[in-house]
Amino acid sequence: MKAIANLCYQQRRPLVRLGQHSATWKERRRMTTHLRRDQLTGAQIRSAFLDFFRSRDHVIVPSSTVVPKDDQSLLFVNAGMNQFKDILLGKRQPEHTRIANSQKCIRAGGKHNDLDEVGHDGRHHTYFEMLGNWSFADYFQKDACRLAYDLLVDVYGLPPDRLLMTYFGGDPELGLGPDFECREIWRQIGVPEAHIIPLGMEDNFWAMGEEGPCGPCTEIHYSPSGKSEDMLELWNLVFMQYNRKRQGLLEPLKDKHVDTGMGLERVVAVLQGKKSNYDTDLFTPVLSQIQQLTKAPFYEAKWGQEDHQGLNTSYRIIADHIRMLTVALADGVVPADRGAPFVLRKVLRRSVIILQNKFNCDPLALVDLVDTVVESLGEAYPEVASGQEAIKKTISEEVLKYKRTLEKGNKIFSDVWKKLENKMVLPADRMFSLYMHFGVPEELIIMMAKNRNMTCDLKGFYVLLDNEREKSRKARKG
């Protein structure tokens, strides 16, 4: 497939290098009229990003696995910068000063957890891809803004009057003034004054954590109306220039870096003119395959109260979860009872329950959905394609195991329920017994109670669980 960046400029003009002036908007429109952005596929949009930065002297590096390397603070890799953390901390030198990539990310569990939002809106996912470019002590604000603007306008063809930029408006308590340099850069690029908006620490100052590299950022937003009321964040450009120490003190870094991130699913939705990420070609093949396998009514993109039976929400959850499961398994995460592997098991079991209860079908349908995900992601991430059969085998084994657990759990729960005098609340000791002595998973107990219009004494259950764990710890020491 020819690169979009090359197609845009083929027989028209050479690609712009850093420091050169771009053409006017009218000239750019003439150059790209043969490329309608709503016809670009997600794969083409990803490739265009990488090709663009390759042409700007960036080295394209592979995505890391979703398993963090030597970082106990994360369950999964959840941002493009994770694999470059030591460079930003000054612990190792970069092999290249300019790089770009598309990073596989998972946000399910831990500090960054989008699991409960999945399916209920069109933007949150357990698995997503982060497009990013980095400069390690190379270019800084001016070129970072110029590069981002040129990609969005020159290559992707977004109208400039639909882009709004926010910048750091300062923080008197920290002694930080507004980032007027960034504001002036956007002015010089040609962004109207009304489209350059100052915001505070919460929105436009990024930090890795309580301590470590940090700095002001500028965010590029897309607005269908060209107004701030409906703007959607597309791209975050972070200008690393401080090291946050204890008590929040900031000291200048020896080297300044650029760290940017743009969610692929979100930019694809904007370029394809879709209201939801699920309406893009990144998700529609999976949604279609779910319907074919389950014979359920067709997906209708209904939300909230319009989705009376919750079927459309269930479609979205399954489409999201099978992408996450496929990628995580391809990267070597194996379902288990602790940490990231437990999150994976939880996501898989949630999918099983939804397929059984909402689609009335055999949850082994998950296995067949893997092929559709591989078709979508296998070219960009070869490990997904090469692990296809192993992924399907693991999912099949886990589904069959959980089906047996469900059957056993339902029988045991029914026996307990029949003996309860108060059938409105499941007591903590009964819940603890189901969990500890009969091996019924916590989320399954809660679900079965909910199906009988019961609540669970979770507070008491967690007390009993903590007491049991403390006994185990003492027994191991003794």
Side-chain angles (χ1 to χ4, degrees):
M1 181 185 68
K2 291 183 178 180
I4 301 301
N6 290 334
L7 284 171
C8 289
Y9 296 92
Q10 190 176 23
Q11 298 179 342
R12 297 176 187 271
R13 67 162 182 163
L15 288 163
V16 176
R17 296 288 176 179
L18 291 181
Q20 291 182 322
H21 294 291
S22 294
T24 65
W25 166 237
K26 290 183 179 179
E27 290 172 339
R28 287 193 290 266
R29 289 303 295 162
R30 285 198 297 271
M31 294 172 188
T32 59
T33 50
H34 64 296
L35 282 175
R36 284 182 52 184
R37 64 177 183 272
D38 60 353
Q39 294 178 343
L40 297 176
T41 67
Q44 288 175 321
I45 290 166
R46 184 198 297 113
S47 294
F49 179 92
L50 300 175
D51 289 335
F52 175 84
F53 280 100
R54 184 183 289 110
S55 74
R56 266 64 172 184
D57 304 321
H58 288 64
V59 175
I60 307 305
V61 299
S63 168
S64 73
T65 71
V66 295
V67 181
K69 183 179 180 181
D70 301 324
D71 190 342
Q72 299 300 316
S73 66
L74 297 173
L75 285 173
F76 296 101
V77 166
N78 58 22
M81 53 71 58
N82 290 159
Q83 67 170 305
F84 310 116
K85 187 174 179 179
D86 286 347
I87 296 175
L88 298 175
L89 289 168
K91 294 181 178 180
R92 66 180 173 93
Q93 292 298 309
E95 295 182 20
H96 311 282
T97 60
R98 298 182 185 188
I99 60 174
N101 82 343
S102 178
Q103 172 65 48
K104 299 172 295 185
C105 299
I106 290 179
R107 290 186 178 175
K111 178 181 178 183
H112 299 284
N113 184 5
D114 291 338
L115 184 57
D116 292 335
E117 304 297 327
V118 168
H120 299 284
D121 67 20
R123 305 296 179 196
H124 288 89
H125 306 290
T126 54
Y127 165 76
F128 66 98
E129 296 176 55
M130 186 70 81
L131 305 173
N133 63 289
W134 289 265
S135 165
F136 301 123
D138 194 322
Y139 62 82
F140 201 52
Q141 284 181 302
K142 182 177 180 180
D143 288 330
C145 293
R146 177 84 263 176
L147 284 166
Y149 188 86
D150 285 353
L151 174 67
L152 294 176
V153 174
D154 289 7
V155 178
Y156 289 153
L158 287 175
D161 61 358
R162 297 294 186 267
L163 299 178
L164 292 89
M165 320 304 190
T166 62
Y167 70 94
F168 180 53
D171 189 297
E173 292 185 8
L174 290 176
L176 297 175
D179 190 358
F180 290 135
E181 181 180 355
C182 183
R183 182 184 68 179
E184 185 58 30
I185 289 168
W186 288 126
R187 284 175 175 171
Q188 292 176 4
I189 286 174
V191 180
E193 188 72 32
H195 284 206
I196 308 174
I197 305 166
L199 294 177
M201 288 284 292
E202 184 174 348
D203 295 292
N204 279 96
F205 194 94
W206 189 91
M208 185 181 294
E210 294 300 320
E211 299 179 35
C214 58
C217 62
T218 183
E219 295 177 339
I220 303 176
H221 303 257
Y222 176 78
S223 166
S225 68
K227 300 179 181 179
S228 60
E229 287 78 7
D230 61 353
M231 67 183 190
L232 172 73
E233 180 192 338
L234 282 185
W235 204 342
N236 188 14
L237 284 58
V238 182
F239 309 121
M240 297 285 194
Q241 51 191 295
Y242 300 106
N243 182 34
R244 176 181 281 169
K245 309 199 79 174
R246 293 183 180 180
Q247 288 82 46
L249 297 176
L250 300 178
E251 64 178 19
L253 287 172
K254 178 183 177 182
D255 295 316
K256 295 181 179 180
H257 310 294
V258 173
D259 166 20
T260 87
M262 175 167 60
L264 174 67
E265 292 77 9
R266 187 169 293 191
V267 73
V268 170
V270 168
L271 293 176
Q272 293 183 357
K274 306 299 184 182
K275 293 182 179 180
S276 160
N277 297 352
Y278 293 97
D279 297 330
T280 71
D281 73 315
L282 297 174
F283 287 91
T284 51
V286 183
L287 293 169
S288 177
Q289 185 66 1
I290 292 170
Q291 192 281 324
Q292 291 181 36
L293 291 170
T294 64
K295 308 304 179 184
F298 287 96
Y299 176 70
E300 297 179 307
K302 291 184 177 181
W303 304 84
Q305 294 182 349
E306 289 186 0
D307 187 21
H308 301 298
Q309 304 299 321
L311 182 63
N312 286 265
T313 300
S314 298
Y315 260 108
R316 291 187 289 268
I317 292 173
I318 295 298
D320 170 273
H321 285 9
I322 191 59
R323 281 163 45 95
M324 182 268 203
L325 290 166
T326 301
V327 170
L329 287 166
D331 279 350
V333 184
V334 179
D337 292 329
R338 293 184 183 276
F342 175 70
V343 175
L344 191 68
R345 175 165 282 170
K346 182 178 179 181
V347 167
L348 191 148
R349 288 177 170 180
R350 187 186 194 197
S351 302
V352 168
I353 291 169
I354 290 172
L355 284 169
Q356 284 191 335
N357 294 349
K358 289 294 185 180
F359 291 92
N360 297 315
C361 81
D362 190 332
L364 283 171
L366 281 173
V367 176
D368 295 320
L369 289 174
V370 171
D371 296 334
T372 309
V373 177
V374 170
E375 187 174 341
S376 172
L377 299 177
E379 183 177 351
Y381 306 107
E383 63 277 10
V384 172
S386 63
Q388 185 170 358
E389 293 308 314
I391 293 166
K392 293 168 71 172
K393 182 175 183 291
T394 300
I395 290 178
S396 177
E397 291 172 351
E398 284 289 316
V399 168
L400 291 173
K401 185 189 302 181
Y402 193 50
K403 284 177 67 176
R404 291 192 293 269
T405 300
L406 282 171
E407 292 172 4
K408 175 185 174 183
N410 273 314
K411 183 179 184 305
I412 296 171
F413 190 94
S414 295
D415 292 342
V416 170
W417 180 77
K418 290 175 184 177
K419 297 175 182 177
L420 291 175
E421 293 183 7
N422 178 4
K423 289 183 167 50
M424 299 298 293
V425 179
L426 181 64
D429 61 336
R430 298 299 181 91
M431 185 174 180
F432 179 78
S433 178
L434 286 167
Y435 178 84
M436 186 60 63
H437 301 139
F438 294 101
V440 184
E442 176 187 342
E443 74 275 9
L444 180 56
I445 298 172
I446 295 171
M447 183 195 72
M448 291 186 296
K450 186 177 180 181
N451 289 342
R452 290 171 171 80
N453 297 316
M454 296 177 70
T455 60
C456 296
D457 181 6
L458 291 175
K459 185 176 180 181
F461 168 72
Y462 292 138
V463 169
L464 293 172
L465 198 58
D466 287 340
N467 290 341
E468 181 65 25
R469 287 170 178 167
E470 183 62 26
K471 289 179 183 176
S472 298
R473 280 193 291 269
K474 288 181 179 179
R476 286 195 299 269
K477 288 180 180 179

